[in-house]
Amino acid sequence: MQDQENPEATEVIKEVVEKDIWGNLIEFWNFVLFPIETGENTVNITIGNILLVIFAFVITSIVLRLIRSFITDKLQETDKLKFISIFKFIKYIVYLVVILVTLSSAGINITIILTASAALFVGIGLALQELFQDVIGGVFIILDKSLLVGDVIEMEGRVGRVFEIKLRTTRALTRDDKVMIIPNHKFMSDVIFNYTQNHKTTRESVSVGVAYGSDTKKVEDILLKCARENKDVMESPEPFVLFDTFGDSSLNFSLHFYVTDSFVDPKIKSLLRFKIDEEFRRNNISIPFPQRDVHFYPNKAYTQNLAKNE
């Protein structure tokens, strides 16, 4: 008798599982959240599609995080920052591809969704035109490598060291320890000076004028001596002096030298000026200031008025 009841109980349990539990799960999975209609076709976005995209998104995030950690652990700090900036753009592209592939594998025609959303995309594009310009500018920055983390740039008279490149903006630290936030489209439309694009060394200069009659060869030797004694000035390439011009009140010279960190060159130039002034005083070489002789020629009326007043 018990053997006959067991098959019946098993059938009942199986029926409950298939129709009630599993059936409810399938119904929940296929529940349509919103339809997308385009012409004669309709695409139904279900809860299952959303959950599938979220699952793929989470798995992709974990995999990308592991890849980034694996690569950055073997890089130096400067190279690590550059790689992270590039990796951010790669991550967004991978996310987009994964979402499209996941929806396509779930049986959704992606072209229909893109066609239905075309008008919406146009409206958003017009409203967020500058935002898209920034995003596109950020992509081009990475593709043509015109800017990398750690580069020293000059923009609108301000010098900064880039420490972060985001999808919309680039952030740089100025010499005053202030953060300069630059929209990425600026790098496509404005002229930007990149001090470290080719190499880290840059050539700087300090100008000075000496009085007429000074020993120009001695001035050159003093300027070179000041440069060689400064620890921040590179020995190779060697510093050199140019006799720029005969000025109105002075003989103008410029000391040219190379440094490895142009971000701090104002401090180096200041130290050199202190040293040059000290050496000039020690060697009796004067730095003149502009002088003007004013000649006053009184006319006849002025002379007569002056005589009357006396």
Side-chain angles (χ1 to χ4, degrees), residues 29-310:
W29 184 268
N30 293 326
F31 181 78
V32 178
L33 292 175
F34 54 90
I36 300 177
E37 297 183 0
T38 170
E40 300 177 353
N41 300 312
T42 301
V43 176
N44 294 322
I45 303 298
T46 65
I47 292 179
N49 299 141
I50 301 299
L51 293 177
L52 192 62
V53 169
I54 293 174
F55 177 76
F57 194 86
V58 172
I59 296 298
T60 304
S61 299
I62 296 173
V63 173
L64 290 174
R65 191 177 295 112
L66 292 174
I67 293 174
R68 190 184 71 174
S69 300
F70 176 77
I71 297 177
T72 54
D73 289 342
K74 299 181 179 180
L75 297 176
Q76 297 180 354
E77 188 63 28
T78 54
D79 295 333
K80 186 186 297 185
L81 294 174
K82 296 177 182 179
F83 174 78
I84 290 175
S85 298
I86 299 173
F87 192 80
K88 286 180 180 178
F89 292 94
I90 297 176
K91 182 175 66 175
Y92 292 123
I93 295 173
V94 171
Y95 282 153
L96 179 61
V97 172
V98 167
I99 291 173
L100 294 178
V101 171
T102 303
L103 292 176
S104 179
S105 62
I108 297 177
N109 191 348
I110 302 301
T111 57
I112 296 177
I113 297 178
L114 296 178
T115 303
S117 305
L120 178 62
F121 290 156
V122 171
I124 294 175
L126 293 175
L128 304 176
Q129 184 176 3
E130 189 168 322
L131 174 63
F132 289 151
Q133 288 178 355
D134 291 334
V135 173
I136 294 172
V139 173
F140 278 110
I141 288 173
I142 296 300
L143 292 179
D144 63 9
K145 296 182 179 180
S146 59
L147 186 69
L148 296 172
V149 173
D151 285 353
V152 178
I153 61 172
E154 180 181 347
M155 183 176 184
E156 297 178 355
R158 294 185 294 269
V159 177
R161 190 193 301 276
V162 176
F163 68 88
E164 188 176 26
I165 301 175
K166 290 188 173 183
L167 190 61
R168 193 182 68 84
T169 59
T170 295
R171 304 189 178 208
L173 187 68
T174 67
R175 287 166 172 165
D176 300 324
D177 284 336
K178 299 175 182 177
V179 176
M180 183 168 56
I181 302 175
I182 309 169
N184 285 335
H185 76 271
K186 289 283 188 179
F187 295 97
M188 300 179 63
S189 58
D190 296 357
V191 176
I192 309 295
F193 292 98
N194 193 328
Y195 291 3
T196 54
Q197 176 67 45
N198 297 326
H199 41 68
K200 291 184 178 180
T201 61
T202 56
R203 193 180 80 182
E204 307 295 338
S205 65
V206 171
S207 299
V208 64
V210 299
Y212 274 89
S214 301
D215 188 343
T216 55
K217 184 60 179 175
K218 190 174 183 180
V219 170
E220 180 185 20
D221 294 338
I222 292 174
L223 293 177
L224 291 175
K225 175 186 175 184
C226 293
R228 294 189 181 107
E229 291 180 354
N230 191 302
K231 62 179 181 180
D232 294 317
V233 175
M234 296 179 62
E235 296 181 359
S236 178
E238 294 183 355
F240 59 92
V241 175
L242 294 180
F243 191 157
D244 293 328
T245 185
F246 295 94
D248 293 337
S249 304
S250 63
L251 305 175
N252 298 328
F253 293 81
S254 59
L255 171 63
H256 297 262
F257 55 93
Y258 293 84
V259 296
T260 56
D261 189 358
S262 56
F263 189 69
V264 297
D265 72 70
K267 181 180 179 181
I268 300 173
K269 291 179 180 178
S270 176
L271 293 174
L272 282 173
R273 292 188 182 103
F274 275 118
K275 187 64 176 176
I276 291 171
D277 181 68
E278 179 185 342
E279 291 295 326
F280 278 5
R281 291 175 185 274
R282 182 178 293 119
N283 290 273
N284 296 321
I285 296 177
S286 60
I287 300 176
F289 54 88
Q291 299 182 30
R292 297 290 184 270
D293 293 331
V294 179
H295 299 275
F296 180 67
Y297 298 98
N299 55 26
K300 184 177 181 181
Y302 176 81
T303 305
Q304 291 176 353
N305 292 330
L306 184 62
K308 289 180 181 180
N309 293 330
E310 291 178 350

